[in-house]
Amino acid sequence: MLVAPSANHVYAEQAPTMAVAELAVTTTVENPERTAMAGVEYVGFGADALDPAAIARQSSALALFERAGELLRPVQLPAVQVMDDDLLTITKYAGKTNEMFTRLLLHVTCAQVRTAGPERPVLPGGVRQLDVLDPMAGRGTTLQAAWLMGHNGFGVETDERAVEQLAAFMKTYLRRKRLRHKADAAPVRREGRVIGRRFEVTAHPGVATGGHDALEGAPALTMSVLTGDTRDSARLFGRRRFDAIVTDAPYGIVHGARSARGNREGRGDRSPAALLAQAIPVWAGQLRAGGALGIAWNAFGLTRDDLAAICADAGLEVCPGPAWEQFSHRVDSSIRRDLIVARKPAR
Ligand SMILES: C[S@@+](CC[C@H](N)C(=O)[O-])C[C@H]1O[C@@H](n2cnc3c(N)ncnc32)[C@H](O)[C@@H]1O
């Protein structure tokens, strides 16, 4: 597998190592490892019966080749995306989680999902459509990455302005792409009281319009984002449950966990570690049995062992094994980003 050069912009020289780890935790290929040929770096692996769609879903896959003696023969990667890349790449803003890293976090988390339940549409490439929640959604990078791969995206975000900006972008984008869609914003009420605002949009990439060719096999996509505190996520979403929860937690540096209510109501301090300790049990309750939680966080503020203990206390099983410890990478002098994935036991 040839790794996309753009991965190097995110992970510097670590991109192939992270591509190896992603393959290891999301596929059944044998012995993935970094390898160089004629001065170009690849990720090599063995596979008896390869599913090219499993490679196409890798966040950094650029191309796939089969070894034929001394030569490399190109292998077609099937189309697995149901939306264009630009859904994820057009917007640029301070605090945006890198798009490629978001795709990686989403992929390694969704690959752990073993939920049963109502029949869900099968996506191009053969996996099922999932309901993905980002409970600290910002301006929606995870939700857009979910749409790209055919999943539904749900979000909670404390910054109302961020939700407004996401709503404005999605409406303009879907209009410009001439995709059939329906968007709506409304107050959220519980027991007669307004507790936040909701932005909701459904799009139909599988339906042809004057300016859009129907994408065969693409299901309808839903995105629903509520304003509020992530620790209230269960109250905000009520009985709804999710297959995967995927979030990039505040780093405690530039984008600290500043909740206006946090201190006033004595609901915790400003550190991301304290916020995660309070939020993870709430999120665990919102997962379906067999669902998975994936969190990216700044390892300078909270150790992997401490975060794993918080997940375990919430009844989740942290994915074990050396490959899971290969995702940690430097973002800048104050951020060492890592990711952890934990599963809710299947019933
Ligand atoms: C690292 S950013 C995530 C950015 C997002 N992935 C994006 O690309 O737009 C963390 C987000 O968590 C939000 N946040 C922090 N504390 C929160 C809380 N208590 N409840 C809900 N959201 C919170 C911040 O406003 C910020 O948007």
Side-chain angles (χ1 to χ4, degrees):
M1 184 180 90
L2 188 57
V3 174
S6 48
N8 282 314
H9 300 313
V10 192
Y11 317 119
E13 78 293 345
Q14 256 182 294
T17 302
M18 293 182 65
V20 166
E22 186 180 352
L23 273 170
V25 303
T26 60
T27 70
T28 54
V29 302
E30 291 154 29
N31 305 320
E33 60 181 8
R34 297 173 71 150
T35 172
M37 274 174 276
V40 176
E41 186 148 28
Y42 297 79
V43 173
F45 52 83
D48 275 343
L50 184 69
D51 171 15
I55 306 302
R57 281 191 290 272
Q58 301 298 310
S59 63
S60 64
L62 179 65
L64 180 66
F65 301 89
E66 185 177 29
R67 196 152 193 168
E70 283 302 297
L71 301 177
L72 293 181
R73 184 187 299 137
V75 178
Q76 175 92 39
L77 288 177
V80 292
Q81 287 185 204
V82 309
M83 299 289 284
D84 294 338
D85 280 337
D86 62 1
L87 173 63
L88 204 53
T89 54
I90 288 175
T91 44
K92 305 269 178 255
Y93 51 90
K96 179 173 183 175
T97 309
N98 178 276
E99 299 104 5
M100 197 158 231
F101 178 74
T102 302
R103 296 181 65 153
L104 179 132
L105 178 63
L106 177 76
H107 183 216
V108 299
T109 308
C110 288
Q112 298 305 317
V113 170
R114 303 287 180 273
T115 48
E119 277 311 306
R120 250 69 70 72
V122 175
L123 301 169
V127 294
R128 286 180 317 143
Q129 184 179 52
L130 302 178
D131 293 333
V132 178
L133 169 68
D134 182 345
M136 296 192 283
R139 278 168 67 176
T141 311
T142 308
L143 314 186
Q144 292 162 343
W147 269 34
L148 225 62
M149 303 312 287
H151 302 306
N152 295 314
F154 300 83
V156 177
E157 170 57 48
T158 186
D159 177 357
E160 290 179 19
R161 181 102 186 93
V163 178
E164 280 166 19
Q165 286 166 325
L166 169 61
F169 169 74
M170 290 304 296
K171 284 190 274 190
T172 308
Y173 180 89
L174 293 168
R175 234 186 345 252
R176 193 170 55 76
K177 291 272 174 174
R178 309 263 197 101
L179 277 162
R180 177 179 293 181
H181 66 281
K182 188 166 178 291
D184 191 31
V188 180
R189 294 174 209 280
R190 289 283 176 274
E191 290 135 25
R193 241 167 41 89
V194 174
I195 57 170
R197 282 191 70 73
R198 175 203 308 271
F199 164 68
E200 197 156 87
V201 57
T202 304
H204 300 272
V207 175
T209 65
H212 166 79
D213 293 335
L215 184 63
E216 209 177 310
L221 300 169
T222 296
M223 186 182 290
S224 178
V225 188
L226 305 181
T227 61
D229 191 296
T230 195
R231 290 163 289 193
D232 290 332
S233 179
R235 197 162 73 96
L236 288 164
F237 274 108
R239 272 199 286 273
R240 192 183 264 287
R241 296 287 176 269
F242 303 94
D243 301 296
I245 298 183
V246 177
T247 201
D248 180 27
Y251 291 95
I253 312 294
V254 197
H255 314 285
R258 275 181 285 106
S259 147
R261 352 178 3 188
N263 292 331
R264 198 173 64 227
E265 297 187 5
R267 297 192 58 187
D269 65 23
R270 287 158 187 253
S271 86
L275 177 63
L276 285 172
Q278 293 177 341
I280 287 172
V282 177
W283 302 339
Q286 293 185 281
L287 275 176
R288 296 190 172 115
L293 166 66
I295 303 173
W297 88 103
N298 183 2
F300 284 144
L302 176 65
T303 66
R304 169 174 281 274
D305 284 350
D306 286 345
L307 184 53
I310 295 171
C311 292
D313 287 347
L316 304 175
E317 294 168 350
V318 175
C319 294
W324 288 101
E325 286 168 26
Q326 298 297 312
F327 292 110
S328 157
H329 61 281
R330 181 183 189 278
V331 176
D332 60 35
S333 60
S334 57
I335 300 175
R336 181 148 199 97
R337 184 164 54 190
D338 200 352
L339 68 83
I340 194 165
V341 174
R343 284 179 292 228
K344 182 156 173 168
R347 264 197 288 268

